[in-house]
Amino acid sequence: MQQQHYDVIIGGGAMNGLTLALTLDTLSASRLRIAVIEKRQRSQQQGVGFDSRCVALSDGTCRKLKRIRFDQQQTLWDRVQTFAEPIKQVHVSERGHSGIVEINAAEMHLTQLGVVVALQNMGDTFTAALANKANIDFISPYFIQQIDYGTDQIAVTLDNQMRLTGKLLVAADGSDSQIAQLAGIACNEEFDYQQSAIIANVITSMPHQGRAFERFTPEGPIALLPMADNMMSLVFCTKTPEALLALDNQSFLQQLQQRFGWRLGKFQSVSKRYAYPLKLKRSTALIGNRLALVGNAAQTLHPVAGQGFNLGIRDVFALAEAIINAQEIGSAEMLQQYQQHRLQDQQRIIGLTTNLVQIFSNELLPLQVLRNLGLTALSHCSALRHTFVQPTLGRI
């Protein structure tokens, strides 16, 4: 049986796992030996890691990417910003009500509130970055089949019978983490939103001009994020995904137009559509015996306000700093420090996203009135807008 030793073993080779590997490589004075285990070949990661979908990176996440080396001359952000589409303004409204809030980057003293990136481009960038890192091994297409614990190390056996030992194992393998299950850490379904998100790209007759939109409807929010070539990334939350997926493209666009309105003109075309159910899931612990959970392995959120991925990146950086500062990598003291550091941020963002969905999905007349008054107050008060926006910028 082939066996290799590493300082850190990362299970999951999508954005969280690879960001952690590159962050550790940048921050560590001594080059840590790192293994990244990914169960899919890069070309087979459709719908899982790097594909045609997009993700919004908050201002705080962009700042963190500036701290990661791509090579000796460039940071990871230097490469990402070549294909990133800036978000200059966020437009928030509710269907059937007059309250509208516009949040501008200039008002927040920023050049941009965040950016939108295609996951395929991010995948290509990470692949190029790893080519320069002899201390990082990307091992695929394999998955962790067994975990064994020792007093001063952890060992994993892959499905090809390769055995790896390390000081710390990181679960970065997404929602319903197989690694967490092997370690006996449960994932609780804390709330079923009774919604599904339909994901697609659309083209509108009017240019987006760097604007992102969050449109609340009784069935769920509709988000549109600016992309290159005047495309927009659509997240259409609905209680009736099967009916909408069954429609032809033109009929689907008509339904979207009816719910969203005409602020971007006419919806002209739509790409292939995907749907997934929306549930709040949270692991019972962020740590185990020489084990740490990050990203969707730790918590899976509703996509409203685009907070899930950015929360995961903060997990990654907190864990990387705990590793670098630890007297012993993987020790109980190090892991407790990581968990305590992350719980408050996790609870705050879960509360923010869940409350937004519940408040705007409730059709009781008093709540409708209060929502409209709240949006109107936000639209007229700069101080309130600053307070509302700060948690979403992800600067922790």
Side-chain angles (χ1 to χ4, degrees):
M1 180 183 294
Q2 186 178 0
Q3 181 165 315
Q4 299 184 49
H5 183 75
Y6 296 90
D7 295 297
V8 179
I9 301 169
I10 301 170
M15 280 184 65
N16 282 321
L18 294 183
T19 300
L20 176 59
L22 293 177
T23 303
L24 288 172
D25 177 73
T26 297
L27 297 182
S28 60
S30 60
R31 303 191 76 187
L32 297 176
R33 287 211 67 206
I34 301 165
V36 180
I37 315 300
E38 171 53 49
K39 65 182 178 182
R40 288 174 174 80
Q41 295 280 19
R42 182 76 72 230
S43 61
Q44 297 175 340
Q45 288 184 328
Q46 297 298 317
V48 177
F50 304 116
D51 53 30
S52 60
R53 293 178 298 134
C54 291
V55 65
L57 310 182
S58 69
D59 175 67
T61 296
C62 296
R63 291 170 188 247
K64 287 176 171 58
L65 296 183
K66 292 177 184 178
R67 296 173 54 191
I68 303 174
R69 285 195 308 264
F70 177 83
D71 54 28
Q72 294 301 317
Q73 290 77 39
Q74 293 181 302
T75 68
L76 192 60
W77 173 247
D78 290 331
R79 298 293 291 249
V80 170
Q81 69 176 342
T82 62
F83 54 80
E85 190 71 19
I87 300 174
K88 300 287 189 179
Q89 181 189 84
V90 176
H91 181 107
V92 183
S93 63
E94 182 181 7
R95 185 185 176 200
H97 297 276
S98 59
I100 293 173
V101 179
E102 291 184 346
I103 301 163
N104 295 289
E107 181 185 11
M108 302 295 155
H109 308 291
L110 298 169
T111 57
Q112 57 197 24
L113 295 166
V115 299
V116 181
V117 294
L119 291 177
Q120 181 64 57
N121 290 338
M122 290 297 289
D124 294 342
T125 301
F126 278 116
T127 298
L130 288 177
N132 302 316
K133 313 295 182 185
N135 56 313
I136 302 175
D137 291 340
F138 188 88
I139 303 171
S140 73
Y142 305 111
F143 62 89
I144 294 173
Q145 198 170 52
Q146 180 178 322
I147 302 174
D148 298 300
Y149 304 94
T151 55
D152 57 355
Q153 70 176 20
I154 191 167
V156 300
T157 303
L158 308 187
D159 58 315
N160 67 342
Q161 297 306 302
M162 179 184 293
R163 184 175 171 86
L164 312 179
T165 60
K167 300 174 183 177
L168 175 69
L169 173 62
V170 180
D173 53 341
S175 186
D176 299 315
S177 164
Q178 181 181 5
I179 295 171
Q181 291 174 29
L182 288 172
I185 298 177
C187 179
N188 290 338
E189 183 181 304
E190 297 192 357
F191 193 83
D192 186 344
Y193 294 102
Q194 300 295 313
Q195 299 174 2
S196 290
I198 296 177
I199 309 299
N201 296 332
V202 296
I203 295 178
T204 59
S205 62
M206 293 173 56
H208 56 63
Q209 298 178 320
R211 293 175 295 169
F213 292 81
E214 190 85 57
R215 175 79 160 167
F216 290 98
T217 79
E219 286 210 348
I222 297 173
L224 286 163
L225 302 173
M227 297 170 59
D229 302 321
N230 203 44
M231 282 198 303
M232 301 201 81
S233 176
L234 170 69
V235 182
F236 188 164
C237 299
T238 175
K239 297 177 182 177
T240 57
E242 297 85 0
L244 289 170
L245 289 174
L247 296 174
D248 60 49
N249 285 352
Q250 194 57 43
S251 299
F252 174 80
L253 290 174
Q254 289 173 357
Q255 290 293 319
L256 175 60
Q257 194 89 62
Q258 181 182 355
R259 289 166 170 80
F260 179 80
W262 295 83
R263 287 185 176 86
L264 285 164
K266 184 178 180 180
F267 288 101
Q268 295 180 321
S269 59
V270 61
S271 68
K272 186 174 181 179
R273 292 161 264 157
Y274 302 89
Y276 62 93
L278 298 177
K279 300 178 181 181
L280 171 61
K281 297 181 180 180
R282 181 160 38 175
S283 64
T284 54
L286 298 180
I287 58 174
N289 185 0
R290 293 195 172 270
L291 171 70
L293 279 62
V294 298
N296 282 351
Q299 65 272 315
T300 303
L301 311 185
H302 193 285
V304 65
Q307 292 301 298
F309 173 74
N310 296 289
L311 182 64
I313 288 295
R314 298 200 290 278
D315 292 344
V316 163
F317 265 77
L319 180 59
E321 289 170 352
I323 291 169
I324 297 306
N325 296 326
Q327 290 186 338
E328 180 191 351
I329 295 175
S331 66
E333 180 183 8
M334 186 215 90
L335 290 166
Q336 284 292 340
Q337 178 188 1
Y338 164 68
Q339 179 166 258
Q340 290 170 8
H341 187 271
R342 292 306 302 143
L343 284 177
Q344 184 178 359
D345 187 26
Q346 182 197 61
Q347 291 166 357
R348 181 184 62 160
I349 297 301
I350 286 175
L352 171 69
T353 54
T354 299
N355 287 338
L356 277 173
V357 175
Q358 290 180 318
I359 289 170
F360 279 93
S361 297
N362 195 314
E363 286 300 282
L364 287 174
L365 184 58
L367 266 182
Q368 293 185 47
V369 173
L370 286 174
R371 291 196 303 260
N372 196 49
L373 289 173
L375 289 176
T376 301
L378 280 172
S379 69
H380 286 92
C381 181
S382 176
L384 279 178
R385 287 196 297 277
H386 275 79
T387 302
F388 177 76
V389 170
Q390 285 305 317
T392 69
L393 294 177
R395 292 182 182 170
I396 293 175

